[in-house]
Amino acid sequence: MASNGDGMTFRRGPLGRYFALGLSAVMAVWAGPALADRISTPIAQFTGLDKITGRIITFDVYINETVQFGVLQITPRVCYMRTPDEAPRTSAFVEVDELTLDRRIQRIFTGWMFAESPGLHAVDHAVYDVWLTSCKMTSDVAPPANR
C-alpha cells in the first residue's frame, strides 16, 4: 500500500500501472498538435469524364456558380482545404443536377466530395462522371461578376 500525501492509500499493482499508461496515452493525444483550421476557398476544381467519347476535362467553378458539363449542372456551395504543412484534406459541398430528356432538372447528388478519395464521393452518372480534384484561391477563369 502507498499513500498519496492526502491521507488516502492505494494499492500499486499491474492494473494500476496499465491504468497509468492508458491515462498517459490519452493525455498525449489530447496534448498533441492542434489541427489547423480549414481554409475556405472561392473556387472548386473538378474533373469530368464523358464515358461515350472518353474525353476528360478539368474545370474550375466558383462557389455558388453553376457550370454545365454535358447534361450535368454542378454547383459547389463551399470548398475547404488545409495549409500546405497539413495532411491534405480537400472537401467541397456540392449539388449536382441532371437535365433530363423532357427538359426537367432533377437533383442527382447533394453532399460532400473529398479530393483524396474521389471513388467514394464522385458523381457516377450513366454517361458522365464528375469528382472534386482541389480547392483553389485563384483561377484563369474570370469570376462570374467580371464576365
Side-chain angles (χ1 to χ4, degrees):
M1 297 255 196
S3 173
N4 66 358
D6 293 334
M8 297 185 74
T9 59
F10 58 95
R11 175 179 232 163
R12 290 187 188 204
L15 288 178
R17 286 189 203 112
Y18 292 130
F19 177 76
L21 287 173
L23 185 61
S24 297
V26 169
M27 295 303 288
V29 169
W30 279 344
L35 294 176
D37 289 332
R38 57 188 179 191
I39 300 168
S40 183
T41 65
I43 302 156
Q45 185 178 62
F46 295 92
T47 299
L49 166 66
D50 181 330
K51 296 177 187 177
I52 302 297
T53 64
R55 180 181 67 139
I56 297 174
I57 185 169
T58 299
F59 52 96
D60 294 345
V61 186
Y62 283 85
I63 300 304
N64 294 318
E65 175 190 22
T66 300
V67 169
Q68 187 148 349
F69 175 67
V71 297
L72 302 181
Q73 296 177 340
I74 299 107
T75 308
R77 297 298 180 190
V78 294
C79 200
Y80 297 122
M81 67 180 195
R82 303 283 180 170
T83 58
D85 59 328
E86 288 281 318
R89 289 190 195 133
T90 305
S91 58
F93 189 82
V94 183
E95 297 170 348
V96 180
D97 299 320
E98 176 185 20
L99 185 60
T100 63
L101 292 174
D102 57 352
R103 310 291 295 165
R104 288 184 305 116
I105 295 176
Q106 179 180 354
R107 175 77 33 96
I108 62 169
F109 180 84
T110 301
W112 290 95
M113 288 186 178
F114 302 96
E116 289 74 36
S117 56
L120 289 177
H121 302 282
V123 174
D124 186 16
H125 180 265
V127 178
Y128 303 99
D129 286 351
V130 176
W131 60 93
L132 177 71
T133 52
S134 69
C135 294
K136 299 167 58 175
M137 297 302 266
T138 61
S139 175
D140 295 335
V141 177
N146 295 352
R147 290 187 220 152

